[in-house]
């Protein structure tokens, strides 16, 4: 009658994971600037709010520092 529920990552979690993978793989060098939020949003196919939330999540985990 019922099927198992497939766990899906939220858009924010998916963006955060993609950015984290790039950091760990060395694609994003420590101390370098990230691409603009707008460009990342276009690349991921999401809105800027989702990218901003993903960046905040990674900042709270200590993986990056947000500066304005």
């Amino acid at each position: 009658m019922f099927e198992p529920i497939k766990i899906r990552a939220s858009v924010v979690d998916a963006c955060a994971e993609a950015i984290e993978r790039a950091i760990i793989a060395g694609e994003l060098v420590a101390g370098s600037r990230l691409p603009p939020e707008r460009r990342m949003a276009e690349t991921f196919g999401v809105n800027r709010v989702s990218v901003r939330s993903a960046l905040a999540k990674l900042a709270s985990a200590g993986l990056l520092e947000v500066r304005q």
Side-chain angles (χ1 to χ4, degrees):
M1 180 159 129
F2 294 110
E3 293 181 26
I5 297 173
K6 296 177 183 169
I7 298 174
R8 294 180 10 183
S10 72
V11 171
V12 172
D13 290 339
C15 290
E17 288 172 12
I19 296 167
E20 182 178 357
R21 281 193 307 271
I23 292 169
I24 292 170
E27 296 171 18
L28 297 171
V29 181
S32 66
R33 291 177 157 248
L34 292 173
E37 287 178 357
R38 184 167 301 191
R39 189 176 321 145
M40 284 195 287
E42 289 171 359
T43 301
F44 293 140
V46 299
N47 61 39
R48 283 179 57 206
V49 174
S50 297
V51 171
R52 187 170 288 180
S53 297
L55 294 174
K57 182 177 182 174
L58 293 172
S60 69
L63 287 173
L64 57 86
E65 182 178 312
V66 178
R67 293 186 218 160
Q68 293 182 347

